[in-house]
Amino acid sequence: MELYYSFSALIVLASIFAYLNYRFLKLPSTIGIMVIAIVVSIFLVLFGETVLPRTFGHLHNLMSSIDFTEVLMGAMLNFLLFAGGIHININDLKEQFRPVVIFSTAGVVISTFVVGFGMFYLLPYVGIKLPFIYCLVFGALISPTDPVAVLSVLKQAKVSKSLETKVAGESLFNDGMAVVVFTVVLQLAVGKEVDLGVENIGLLLLHEAGGGLLLGVLLGWVTSRLMREVDDYIISVLVTLSVVMGGYLIARQMHISGPLTMVAAGLFMGNFNRNFKMKSVTQDYLIKFWELIDEILNAVLFLFIGFELLMIKDLKHFMIPGLVAIIVVLLARFISIWGPTKFTSLRKSFSPQTVKVLVWGGIRGGVSIALAMSIPKSEYSEIILSITYCVVVFSIIVQGLTIAKVANPNQIITEEEQVAGSPENKD
C-alpha cells in the first residue's frame, strides 16, 4: 500500500502543477511541471523546516521512500519508450539508419571520453578533485540523450521529419551502448576486475543491445499476429500492455536491455499495424491510449526530477562545478556530432544548421539522474549526482524551451540542398 500512497500523491501533485502551468506559466506541460516542482523544492529547502515543517517532512519522506532508479529504469521507461517507438515510421528510420547508429554508438563513446577528460582537468580550478575514473563515470551517464525528454521537446519544436527522426532515433537507441559503457566504467571505479578486451566488450554489447532488439522484434511479431486475428480495441490495449510489462520481465531474466526491447517492440507493432487495416475505432483507441499513458508518465517523471532537488545536500556548493559541467557536456556533444558528420558518406545530410539543432537538441533527463543515483555511496557519488542534476535542469529548461527558436526548418532545407549539390557530394 505504501507504493500506492506514494504514486497517488505524485499524481495529485502532477495534476495540480499541470493546471497551474496551463493557467499561468503557459510552458510546455512537462517542463512547466518540473519548473513548479523545482520552485517548490527551493522554497522548502530554504524555508521549509521553519515555515512548513510538516509539508517539508512529508515531501522529503515521500521522495526518500521511492527508489527513483528502479521506478524509472525498471517501470516507467519501458512504457515511455514503447509509446515513443510505436509512433515512429520505420521507413523514415531506414532513411536515417546510418547517422542514428553512429550517433547512438560511437557518439556516446566519444562524448564519454571528452566529458571525462574535460571534467578531470577543469574541476580542480573550482576546488573539486574527482578521480579520472569517476570523471569517466559521469561522462558515461551524461552522454546519452534522454529519449523521454527529447521526444517531449520535439513535439514543440516543429523540425523537419528527417531531423526529427535523427534526434528521436538516436535517443531511443543509445541506451544499449550507454548502459554497457556506464556498467564497465563503474565496475572499474568501485574496484571490480573487468576484462577490457575488445572481444569481451563486444560480446557484452551484443548480448545487452542485440539481445534486447531481437527479443523486441520477436515480441512485436508474435503479438501483432495475435492482434490481427482479433480486431478489438480492448484486447489490443491489453495485448500491448502485456508486451511492455511481460517483455520487461523476460528481458530482466535474460539480462538484456529492457529499454531496447521496448523500442524494437514498439517500432515493429506500430509499423505492422499500419499495413494491417485495423478497424478505425480500434486504431483510434490504441493510439489515444498510448498518447495518454505517455502524457501521464511524462508528467510524473518531470515532477520526480523537480523534487529530486530535496534529496541533494548543499546543492549551492556545486553550482559552479555544475556550470563547468554544462559547458563541458555541450562541447562534448558538439564534438560527438560534428566529428562523425565529417565522414564523406554523411556530409550530404548534415548542414551547419542541422548540426546546431542536433547539438542543442541533445536533451538530458531522468535517465542520467537515475544512473547517477545508482552509483554506490562514496565520497564522490554526491558530487556526481549534484552536477548531473545541474546539467539535466539546464538541459530541459534552457535547451528544451529554446530548441524551437534554434530549429529553423527553412534554413535547414536550404543548407541541405546546398550541401547535397556541392561538387564533392556529387562525386
Side-chain angles (χ1 to χ4, degrees):
M1 290 300 289
E2 190 66 34
L3 180 62
Y4 172 78
Y5 291 138
S6 299
F7 194 72
S8 298
L10 290 171
I11 288 290
V12 170
L13 288 171
S15 63
I16 293 172
F17 290 178
Y19 177 82
L20 292 173
N21 173 66
Y22 184 84
R23 284 293 307 276
F24 304 108
L25 295 184
K26 311 292 184 183
L27 296 174
S29 179
T30 49
I31 297 178
I33 290 171
M34 191 186 81
V35 168
I36 296 173
I38 290 174
V39 171
V40 171
S41 298
I42 292 173
F43 175 82
L44 291 175
V45 168
L46 295 176
F47 308 108
E49 293 188 64
T50 55
V51 180
L52 297 168
R54 292 186 64 184
T55 302
F56 177 78
H58 287 319
L59 267 177
H60 190 277
N61 291 337
L62 173 64
M63 298 308 297
S64 301
S65 67
I66 299 172
D67 186 337
F68 182 73
T69 302
E70 182 63 28
V71 169
L72 175 60
M73 303 298 286
M76 293 175 68
L77 192 61
N78 298 305
F79 287 91
L80 291 163
L81 289 177
F82 182 86
I86 208 170
H87 291 115
I88 290 183
N89 190 307
I90 195 71
N91 293 321
D92 294 335
L93 189 61
K94 285 178 181 177
E95 291 180 8
Q96 308 300 331
F97 179 76
R98 187 174 295 177
V100 165
V101 170
I102 291 175
F103 293 149
S104 60
T105 53
V108 171
V109 176
I110 293 170
S111 178
T112 297
F113 280 94
V114 173
V115 171
F117 279 102
M119 296 300 286
F120 180 70
Y121 286 109
L122 292 178
L123 281 181
Y125 289 101
V126 293
I128 291 182
K129 293 183 179 179
L130 197 63
F132 178 67
I133 191 64
Y134 276 97
C135 290
L136 281 181
V137 168
F138 173 69
L141 67 87
I142 207 67
S143 291
T145 54
D146 188 296
V148 180
V150 168
L151 292 172
S152 175
V153 167
L154 280 180
K155 292 177 183 177
Q156 315 291 330
K158 296 180 180 178
V159 296
S160 65
K161 179 57 68 176
S162 64
L163 184 52
E164 180 183 345
T165 305
K166 288 185 181 84
V167 179
E170 176 204 359
S171 65
L172 285 170
F173 284 102
N174 61 19
D175 289 78
M177 174 61 75
V179 169
V180 170
V181 174
F182 175 77
T183 302
V184 170
V185 177
L186 182 60
Q187 287 180 344
L188 289 172
V190 297
K192 293 184 179 180
E193 293 186 5
V194 181
D195 184 356
L196 294 178
V198 175
E199 183 179 351
N200 183 62
I201 300 297
L203 287 174
L204 182 61
L205 181 61
L206 183 63
H207 178 261
E208 179 85 20
L213 292 171
L214 186 61
L215 175 62
V217 170
L218 180 61
L219 286 171
W221 182 81
V222 170
T223 50
S224 293
R225 299 294 299 184
L226 292 174
M227 289 169 64
R228 189 172 185 173
E229 299 299 325
V230 184
D231 192 359
D232 178 86
Y233 70 89
I234 295 177
I235 295 177
S236 296
V237 167
L238 286 173
V239 167
T240 52
L241 278 174
S242 69
V243 169
V244 176
M245 302 175 82
Y248 169 70
L249 294 177
I250 296 171
R252 188 169 184 173
Q253 287 297 316
M254 297 176 68
H255 302 288
I256 58 180
S257 174
L260 285 178
T261 299
M262 294 304 107
V263 171
L267 276 170
F268 192 96
M269 294 186 73
N271 287 275
F272 178 90
N273 291 329
R274 283 193 184 99
N275 298 324
F276 161 52
K277 296 196 180 299
M278 186 184 291
K279 290 178 186 175
S280 59
V281 65
T282 304
Q283 191 168 22
D284 189 50
Y285 267 99
L286 196 59
I287 291 172
K288 287 183 177 177
F289 173 80
W290 280 104
E291 284 180 350
L292 190 59
I293 289 289
D294 189 39
E295 291 297 328
I296 292 172
L297 291 183
N298 262 309
V300 174
L301 174 58
F302 280 74
L303 182 76
F304 253 129
I305 296 173
F307 278 140
E308 279 301 319
L309 182 61
L310 294 171
M311 306 305 299
I312 300 175
K313 300 175 182 177
D314 299 323
L315 181 65
K316 60 183 179 182
H317 296 306
F318 299 107
M319 295 301 287
I320 301 301
L323 181 60
V324 172
I326 289 168
I327 296 170
V328 170
V329 168
L330 283 173
L331 177 63
R333 175 68 178 173
F334 172 74
I335 293 172
S336 67
I337 295 295
W338 177 80
T341 61
K342 294 297 102 181
F343 289 106
T344 305
S345 59
L346 294 180
R347 282 182 186 175
K348 64 181 180 180
S349 45
F350 289 92
S351 66
Q353 179 71 10
T354 302
V355 172
K356 183 170 68 172
V357 175
L358 282 167
V359 172
W360 199 246
I363 312 293
R364 273 68 179 185
V367 171
S368 293
I369 292 179
L371 292 176
M373 294 186 75
S374 72
I375 299 173
K377 292 292 181 183
S378 69
E379 58 184 308
Y380 307 115
S381 58
E382 187 71 24
I383 298 172
I384 293 176
L385 177 58
S386 299
I387 58 179
T388 299
Y389 191 82
C390 292
V391 173
V392 168
V393 169
F394 173 87
S395 179
I396 293 174
I397 296 179
V398 179
Q399 293 176 238
L401 291 177
T402 57
I403 185 63
K405 295 181 180 179
V406 172
N408 186 331
N410 293 329
Q411 187 177 347
I412 292 173
I413 293 171
T414 302
E415 288 188 358
E416 288 186 351
E417 287 176 351
Q418 292 174 350
V419 172
S422 62
E424 59 184 278
N425 284 322
K426 286 182 178 179
D427 295 338

